[in-house]
């Protein structure tokens, strides 16, 4: 178990990190396996040692809403650990992954004893609130075209591979996944991606999206 990859613990000395490790249990999950369920009455915190976890939820009609994909070094489940309320979303293994799991009581004890961890948690929560505020604004105020363009810029910034003046997103999310991220439906996303391809802003490959003109993409969504 290598907890040093977790951003919350990056400033801890080895002795303190060893104590944190003693408070956790480790488990591996296979791709597609549910880790926690929406509205589940559990309060443990999860630290991602390897792989990626998708935080998602479904409406009563079965429509999926993707909140975030959390990769190695990140955490999830801290909301329920803090307020003791049921889970507000599901956590599903997007890839095979390894996680460390800590009970809420132990997590609170750690925050009281280690100021550096508490500060990092505050920074993490503020970043999540800012991201969620941005997405609420987009869904409330922007058309699908602008929401799509902003999401493509985010994906390129977070995981794109720069090749000269272009940026390639590999593997690219499906049109369905993009729709679930921006609060739309697959048909509308497909229509707008085709439009951007005709405008020579994008080139679509097999599970890849190549942004050929990032400046035009950014300018279009401003």
């Amino acid at each position: 178990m290598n907890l040093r990859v977790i951003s919350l613990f990056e400033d801890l000395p080895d002795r303190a990190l060893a104590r944190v490790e003693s408070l956790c249990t480790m488990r591996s999950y296979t791709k597609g396996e549910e880790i926690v369920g929406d509205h589940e009455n559990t309060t443990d915190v999860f630290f991602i040692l390897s792989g990626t976890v998708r935080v998602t939820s479904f409406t009563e009609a079965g429509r999926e809403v993707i909140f975030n994909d959390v990769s190695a070094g990140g955490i999830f489940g801290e909301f329920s650990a803090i307020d003791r309320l049921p889970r507000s979303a599901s956590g599903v293994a997007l890839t095979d992954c390894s996680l460390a799991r800590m009970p809420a009581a132990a997590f609170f004890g750690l925050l009281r004893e280690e100021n550096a961890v508490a500060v990092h948690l505050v920074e993490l929560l503020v970043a999540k609130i800012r991201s969620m505020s941005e997405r609420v604004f987009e869904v409330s105020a922007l058309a699908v075209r602008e929401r799509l363009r902003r999401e493509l810029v985010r994906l390129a910034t977070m995981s794109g591979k720069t090749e000269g003046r272009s940026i390639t997103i590999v593997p690219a999310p499906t049109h369905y996944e993009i729709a679930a991220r921006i609060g739309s439906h697959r048909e509308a996303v497909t229509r707008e991606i085709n439009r951007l391809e005709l405008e020579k802003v994008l080139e679509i490959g097999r599970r890849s999206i190549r942004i050929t003109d990032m400046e035009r993409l950014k300018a279009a969504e401003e």
Side-chain angles (χ1 to χ4, degrees):
M1 182 186 301
N2 181 19
L3 286 172
R4 186 64 70 187
V5 303
I6 306 303
S7 59
L8 285 188
F9 306 142
E10 61 186 15
D11 294 330
L12 287 182
D14 291 342
R15 185 174 179 178
L17 192 66
R19 180 175 177 277
V20 171
E21 184 174 331
S22 71
L23 299 172
C24 296
T25 57
M26 184 190 170
R27 180 180 165 185
S28 296
Y29 294 83
T30 58
K31 180 179 178 180
E33 188 174 357
E34 184 176 84
I35 301 164
V36 293
D38 197 358
H39 302 301
E40 184 178 300
N41 286 304
T42 58
T43 57
D44 292 356
V45 181
F46 295 85
F47 308 105
I48 304 176
L49 304 176
S50 66
T52 302
V53 173
R54 172 159 289 173
V55 181
T56 186
S57 188
F58 288 86
T59 68
E60 292 185 2
R63 178 177 172 183
E64 185 177 12
V65 178
I66 298 174
F67 296 112
N68 198 14
D69 292 339
V70 189
S71 298
I75 78 170
F76 68 98
E78 72 277 13
F79 288 8
S80 290
I82 291 170
D83 62 18
R84 306 302 177 96
L85 295 176
R87 302 289 184 184
S88 57
S90 298
V92 179
L94 191 61
T95 66
D96 292 347
C97 57
S98 297
L99 307 178
R101 180 171 185 162
M102 181 185 290
F107 186 61
F108 266 95
L110 178 64
L111 294 178
R112 294 188 185 97
E113 296 170 13
E114 298 290 347
N115 291 337
V117 176
V119 170
H120 281 311
L121 178 64
V122 170
E123 293 171 342
L124 172 69
L125 292 176
V126 169
K128 287 189 175 184
I129 291 170
R130 284 187 179 276
S131 176
M132 190 60 65
S133 297
E134 181 178 343
R135 289 180 179 274
V136 168
F137 167 78
E138 290 174 5
V139 172
S140 302
L142 301 180
V144 173
R145 182 182 302 183
E146 284 69 35
R147 301 206 301 271
L148 170 64
R149 293 175 192 269
R150 289 190 178 209
E151 184 65 22
L152 291 173
V153 170
R154 274 193 291 265
L155 289 169
T157 301
M158 290 187 299
S159 59
K161 298 179 181 179
T162 301
E163 304 170 10
R165 298 182 63 182
S166 66
I167 299 176
T168 303
I169 303 167
V170 179
T174 65
H175 293 187
Y176 167 83
E177 290 172 323
I178 294 174
R181 288 174 179 273
I182 67 172
S184 184
H185 51 86
R186 182 181 57 80
E187 293 79 7
V189 168
T190 298
R191 182 171 59 250
E192 294 304 330
I193 285 179
N194 290 342
R195 188 195 305 272
L196 288 170
E197 191 171 20
L198 287 173
E199 293 173 358
K200 301 189 182 304
V201 176
L202 303 179
E203 290 180 0
I204 306 302
R206 185 173 183 179
R207 291 312 305 271
S208 71
I209 297 175
R210 181 168 174 258
I211 301 172
T212 58
D213 195 330
M214 176 61 86
E215 293 307 313
R216 281 182 65 197
L217 185 66
K218 286 181 177 180
E221 58 89 20
E222 288 175 354

